[in-house]
């Protein structure tokens, strides 16, 4: 088969997949001969319309844009183009709002009327990467739609804010630091001064005495807000974002290592004032982001320690249908986020 013919056949196949998905036919992601964790995520969480359940006990009819963005990222990472096309079309059909932003949550058949900026940014980044990798014009078109939608409905005083509003006079003045990702903002082609003022939020972020970042920046009075209990996912995302604009900042990272060395683990939340854990649970997603941060710092020793702790949280019952996942055996306690993030980290470069 000639190269031209192979390209034609593949393009025809992709078109058939997109038509099938757009006609609301059942979506089946290929999971044959794939990793154990990925296969079981698809088996336990994927729905016939191409979305992922949030958990397995109580939120089975809740679907998050966060999950869809991470799934798209995994398909791109693993060069699974057909699955990517299906997930992209499912995202478009099931979650896209009329204002060209992505509904952050769908419960049963009802979409939330607003987005979460962090989800849109992740999806835009993945779509743009796919358009470059596979010369995918539809991915680029959809990414540009989302950029245009957020430029119209999520900007306030020149800042991207936490969520969209069709009423430009009634938009939130809050931006979570964990949302401010320079690589993702670059796709918006902001004028230099506008981009710099948004990155300044990260560059000038204060640091608490116990080594924590604020949760958010208030654009109206240019102040930062700390939470009494800090979530480590937010903290780690902020640290990862800051590394892009302030690579010499090691304060949070050293505090993170100190906590791990002291306790042998990282807890999901801490008290701002005391620096002590406010919960006893550990989160696979927290370890996944901590591993990502360790990789940014080229700290192989700490990365390996974190990976060992992450693996310890897996289901190790070999006769269980949940073996190798982060689904608790008897209670089925889990969150799809706590399975998708380790999947990306374990199989990523």
């Amino acid at each position: 088969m000639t190269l031209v013919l192979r390209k034609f056949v593949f393009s025809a196949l992709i078109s058939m997949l997109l038509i099938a998905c757009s006609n609301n036919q059942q979506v089946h992601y290929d999971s044959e001969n794939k990793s154990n964790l990925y296969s079981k995520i698809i088996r336990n969480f994927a729905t016939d319309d191409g979305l992922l359940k949030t958990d397995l006990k109580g939120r089975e009819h809740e679907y998050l844009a966060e999950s869809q963005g991470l799934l798209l990222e995994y398909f791109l990472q693993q060069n699974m183009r057909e699955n990517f096309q299906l997930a992209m079309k499912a995202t478009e059909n099931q979650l896209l709002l009329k204002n060209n932003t992505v509904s952050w949550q769908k419960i049963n058949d009802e979409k939330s009327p607003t987005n979460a900026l962090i989800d849109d940014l992740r999806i835009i980044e993945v779509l743009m990467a796919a358009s470059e990798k596979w010369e995918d014009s539809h991915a680029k078109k959809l990414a540009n739609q989302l950029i245009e939608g957020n430029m119209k409905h999520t900007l306030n005083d020149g800042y991207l804010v936490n969520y969209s509003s069709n009423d430009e006079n009634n938009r939130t003045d809050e931006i979570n630091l964990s949302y401010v990702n320079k690589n993702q903002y670059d796709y918006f082609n902001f004028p230099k001064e506008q981009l710099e003022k948004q990155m300044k939020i990260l560059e000038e972020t204060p640091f608490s005495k116990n080594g924590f970042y604020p949760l958010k920046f208030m654009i109206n009075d240019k102040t930062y807000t700390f939470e009494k209990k800090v979530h480590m996912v937010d903290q780690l995302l902020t640290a990862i974002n800051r590394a892009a604009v302030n690579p010499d900042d090691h304060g949070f990272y050293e505090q993170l290592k100190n906590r791990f060395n002291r306790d042998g683990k990282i807890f999901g939340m801490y008290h701002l004032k005391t620096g002590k854990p406010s919960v006893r649970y550990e989160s696979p997603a927290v370890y996944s982001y901590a591993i990502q941060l360790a990789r940014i710092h080229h700290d192989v020793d700490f990365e390996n320690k974190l990976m060992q702790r992450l693996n310890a949280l897996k289901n190790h019952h070999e006769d269980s249908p949940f073996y190798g996942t982060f689904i608790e055996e008897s209670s089925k306690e889990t969150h799809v986020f706590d399975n998708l993030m380790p999947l990306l980290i374990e199989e990523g470069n």
Side-chain angles (χ1 to χ4, degrees), residues 2-240:
T2 67
L3 178 61
V4 172
L5 183 56
R6 283 200 300 270
K7 287 185 176 180
F8 174 79
V9 170
F10 188 80
S11 297
L13 177 60
I14 293 299
S15 298
M16 291 170 63
L17 288 168
L18 292 175
I19 291 171
C21 192
S22 64
N23 289 335
N24 294 321
Q25 294 185 9
Q26 292 185 353
V27 175
H28 295 291
Y29 296 120
D30 176 26
S31 60
E32 294 297 320
N33 302 315
K34 308 300 180 185
S35 76
N36 174 68
L37 180 55
Y38 164 72
S39 297
K40 289 179 178 175
I41 289 173
I42 296 302
R43 185 181 310 157
N44 287 288
F45 293 97
T47 65
D48 288 340
D49 57 14
L51 302 180
L52 297 178
K53 304 171 187 176
T54 296
D55 71 10
L56 303 179
K57 47 172 296 184
R59 300 174 70 185
E60 305 100 315
H61 302 292
E62 178 181 339
Y63 318 103
L64 302 178
E66 171 187 73
S67 307
Q68 210 65 13
L70 294 171
L71 185 65
L72 284 165
E73 186 176 344
Y74 177 75
F75 290 150
L76 177 71
Q77 179 194 86
Q78 299 300 313
N79 202 34
M80 298 167 70
R81 186 175 182 184
E82 292 178 22
N83 278 356
F84 184 93
Q85 295 285 337
L86 290 172
M88 175 174 64
K89 201 63 183 177
T91 303
E92 191 173 7
N93 287 343
Q94 301 294 330
L95 296 175
L96 188 64
L97 295 170
K98 290 181 179 180
N99 66 1
N100 283 326
T101 64
V102 180
S103 172
W104 78 273
Q105 177 195 57
K106 183 178 182 182
I107 299 179
N108 294 316
D109 292 326
E110 186 174 348
K111 291 184 284 191
S112 168
T114 192
N115 69 338
L117 176 65
I118 191 173
D119 300 331
D120 285 34
L121 292 176
R122 179 186 290 115
I123 292 170
I124 288 166
E125 182 177 37
V126 174
L127 290 173
M128 282 300 196
S131 74
E132 295 172 9
K133 182 173 187 175
W134 295 316
E135 297 182 356
D136 189 323
S137 60
H138 188 76
K140 187 171 185 178
K141 178 183 176 182
L142 181 56
N144 284 326
Q145 277 183 248
L146 298 182
I147 291 170
E148 181 180 354
N150 278 279
M151 289 290 281
K152 286 183 178 179
H153 303 291
T154 318
L155 272 180
N156 187 352
D157 192 27
Y159 294 88
L160 287 171
V161 291
N162 281 351
Y163 52 87
S164 63
S165 171
N166 293 335
D167 182 0
E168 63 179 337
N169 296 315
N170 190 31
R171 288 190 185 146
T172 181
D173 70 335
E174 300 178 357
I175 175 63
N176 285 10
L177 302 182
S178 57
Y179 292 14
V180 186
N181 182 306
K182 185 179 184 304
N183 292 334
Q184 295 167 353
Y185 275 48
D186 282 344
Y187 289 110
F188 285 73
N189 293 318
F190 289 115
K192 183 180 178 181
E193 288 185 1
Q194 187 177 1
L195 179 62
E196 286 178 349
K197 84 170 186 176
Q198 293 184 92
M199 291 306 107
K200 193 175 180 181
I201 295 173
L202 284 175
E203 293 167 0
E204 297 184 354
T205 298
F207 198 53
S208 79
K209 67 176 183 178
N210 287 311
F212 297 117
Y213 295 118
L215 175 66
K216 56 195 173 184
F217 178 76
M218 314 298 291
I219 66 174
N220 285 349
D221 58 12
K222 306 297 186 289
T223 59
Y224 293 87
T225 301
F226 288 88
E227 298 287 286
K228 292 180 179 179
K229 294 181 180 180
V230 296
H231 292 258
M232 288 307 291
V233 166
D234 292 323
Q235 293 291 308
L236 286 158
L237 277 169
T238 299
I240 290 166

Side-chain angles (χ1 to χ4, degrees), residues 245-297:
V245 299
N246 193 352
D248 295 327
D249 176 24
H250 300 284
F252 173 85
Y253 185 65
E254 292 304 320
Q255 292 272 21
L256 181 73
K257 292 178 69 173
N258 290 339
R259 288 191 183 90
F260 182 86
N261 291 333
R262 179 191 68 196
D263 300 327
K265 60 185 70 174
I266 302 172
F267 294 97
M269 296 175 64
Y270 290 84
H271 291 288
L272 175 68
K273 286 188 176 181
T274 66
K276 294 181 179 179
S278 62
V279 297
R280 304 310 301 173
Y281 68 80
E282 298 169 83
S283 162
V286 164
Y287 283 111
S288 299
Y289 281 123
I291 289 166
Q292 186 177 341
L293 186 60
R295 289 175 179 172
I296 289 172
H297 287 276

